[in-house]
Amino acid sequence: MKYEQARWTDDSEELYEPLLSEKHTREVEVDSDLPDHLTRDSVELPDLSEPELARHYTRLSQMNYGVETGPFPLGSCTMKYNPKFTDDVAGHPKAATHPDRPASTRQGTLELRYHLQDVLGRIGGMDAVTLQPPAGAAGEFTGILVAKAYHQSRGDERSEVVVPDSAHGTNFATAAMAGYDVVTLPGAEDGRVDVEALEAAVSEDTAALMLTNPNTLGLFERDIEAIADLVHDAGGLLYYDGANLNALLGRARPGDMGFDIMHYNVHKTFATPHGGGGPGAGPVGVTDELAAFLPDPHVRETNGGFEEYAPEHSIGKVHGYGGNWLVLVRAYAYIARLGDVGLSDASAKAVLNANYLASQIDYDIPFGPFHHEFVASADEDAADVAKRMLDYGVHPPTTKWPEAVSEALMTEPTEVENRRSLDQLATAFDAVANEDVDTIERAPENTAARRIDQVSAARSPRLSWQALDADEQ
């Protein structure tokens, strides 16, 4: 049976909600000893049988699109499929150990954390790694706090962090939150770092340069060694944003390029779940001279096993206990399952898939050669193109960013897609590219909800199970 999909339109006063007929309710009288101003006479509650409830949420789930439904090519997001065996490992009863238990009774969890610290360090070319930050942005903040503590320990009060104009927004926010002035670095004509502009930007006030490599255009920074020398000669540190590490796995390491600090996005590179506000994990790796500043606790090996300890000049805690434990278990399971050969193969296929998809679409791609992602330029409003792609049953790419490309369609298919799904994506791209403006601007037409007022939806969301009133649409 085909169920009618909900839709909102700008040209109709009628309000139609998803599965409204299933929102049965009943009124319950309330009798309470609480003061009158804290109570109400009655309350309206859902009144559904179990089969009705199960079918309601099942149908809602069928309206959603996710990485288990089809390709999810959001550029710079690395929306990998989350393999289910990692859930089995994280769900093992022996993984459910309380962190307040004595260390002697949780040696297994400490050992796993120790080995994950080690393997992440080897993957990134770092000497020490903390697992504590609960997300990529938190990892950035932790890394910059480590840099700040390092400079302060040397009596060096630096005031600036240099950030390329194509960087992720969290880079700018991180530097500002840590108390630094942000120096924005313009890009060169080829989309990479303008080395001459960097030379003019760095000074004795430079605490760090935050850099993604490959950058948000998918381009490898060919002058990375010269960039590292410029920053280090000024007394600054080089920070690696791990958002695009998936392009380098098993083939290049940030530490070997001259980076001093890096964060890992385990939800991108190591296939732990995305979204929903967490839980996440953003481990941070550093070189030897910065290891003493890592958060407390860190894990080390002893003669008789493993123990937690506080690094000598630790910046303190940035999250409870050792981090989001079960997310870290998933990341370790993924790395262990793939091994060195599998990780290297993943990065190769990620680059291959991006280049194959780019070769199949009609939109112009102004910058290259690229690695794991590319940025195409739409002829129409990129947001409208994205909405129209929904009508073809695929998820659209990231839009409107980076700003170096007009009407950007930032696309990253990851290594998990086969040729058939890449061709499906290409077909959707090309179908929209060859449609007229009116068709594109009406989109989407085949989704659960048609075009909505995004500003109003963001500013005044209605997050209730109760029926909407017609004057609230």
Side-chain angles (χ1 to χ4, degrees), residues 453-462:
D453 182 339
Q454 292 175 257
V455 175
S456 296
R459 291 180 176 175
S460 304
R462 177 66 186 267

Side-chain angles (χ1 to χ4, degrees), residues 130-454:
T130 176
L131 306 176
Q132 201 173 108
E140 284 183 28
F141 188 53
T142 299
I144 292 300
L145 290 182
V146 166
K148 189 170 191 174
Y150 166 77
H151 288 305
Q152 289 176 340
S153 74
R154 298 160 58 91
D156 197 354
E157 295 291 339
R158 294 180 173 242
S159 59
E160 297 177 347
V161 170
V162 182
V163 182
D165 59 7
S166 63
H168 296 91
T170 49
N171 288 183
F172 302 92
T174 290
M177 284 179 62
Y180 288 108
D181 296 326
V182 179
V183 178
T184 302
L185 186 69
E189 288 187 4
D190 67 353
R192 297 175 175 84
V193 167
D194 186 327
V195 177
E196 291 185 3
L198 176 62
E199 188 172 8
V202 297
S203 69
E204 61 185 12
D205 293 323
T206 302
L209 166 65
M210 300 183 76
L211 194 64
T212 306
N213 194 23
N215 66 18
T216 52
L217 292 166
L219 309 176
F220 188 84
E221 296 290 353
R222 296 168 175 166
D223 296 319
I224 188 58
E225 292 178 322
I227 291 169
D229 288 342
L230 281 173
V231 175
H232 291 152
D233 289 346
L237 298 172
L238 191 56
Y239 182 93
Y240 182 83
D241 181 327
N244 294 339
L245 182 62
N246 201 49
L248 304 181
L249 281 176
R251 298 175 181 276
R253 308 192 306 172
D256 298 334
M257 301 174 199
F259 286 92
D260 305 290
I261 311 172
M262 69 175 291
H263 82 266
Y264 305 77
N265 288 301
V266 300
H267 57 287
K268 296 185 179 185
T269 317
F270 305 116
T272 64
H274 271 72
V284 172
V286 297
T287 56
D288 264 334
E289 63 180 343
L290 301 175
F293 301 95
L294 287 177
D296 166 27
H298 200 240
V299 180
R300 64 187 173 192
E301 190 171 17
T302 65
N303 290 333
F306 302 88
E307 67 177 8
E308 294 174 319
Y309 73 100
E312 184 178 1
H313 303 295
S314 175
I315 62 171
K317 289 183 178 295
V318 297
H319 192 56
Y321 300 104
N324 281 333
W325 162 241
L326 295 182
V327 177
L328 298 169
V329 172
R330 286 176 171 86
Y332 185 76
Y334 178 83
I335 294 169
R337 180 72 170 265
L338 265 64
D340 292 341
V341 173
L343 293 175
S344 180
D345 186 59
S347 62
K349 288 179 178 175
V351 173
L352 176 64
N353 281 357
N355 280 266
Y356 173 76
L357 178 58
S359 73
Q360 301 300 302
I361 69 174
D362 292 339
Y363 287 113
D364 178 50
I365 302 170
F367 293 101
F370 45 82
H371 287 251
H372 65 302
E373 66 187 2
F374 62 88
V375 185
S377 179
D379 299 325
E380 310 298 337
D381 186 294
D384 289 340
V385 169
K387 290 179 174 67
R388 181 58 175 157
M389 288 182 70
L390 296 173
D391 286 333
Y392 289 92
V394 300
H395 198 285
T398 301
T399 62
K400 302 283 192 176
W401 183 75
E403 294 179 353
V405 176
S406 174
E407 298 300 339
L409 298 169
M410 188 183 191
T411 309
E412 181 184 4
T414 81
E415 73 276 11
V416 305
E417 304 304 334
N418 58 27
R419 183 170 179 173
R420 180 180 178 182
S421 62
L422 294 173
D423 287 341
Q424 178 189 4
L425 273 173
T427 298
F429 269 106
D430 292 346
V432 179
N434 291 289
E435 288 182 322
D436 61 85
V437 176
D438 289 341
T439 299
I440 294 173
E441 289 182 347
R442 287 198 307 270
E445 296 185 293
N446 301 323
T447 51
R450 292 189 63 181
R451 183 170 296 226
I452 62 173
D453 182 339
Q454 292 175 257

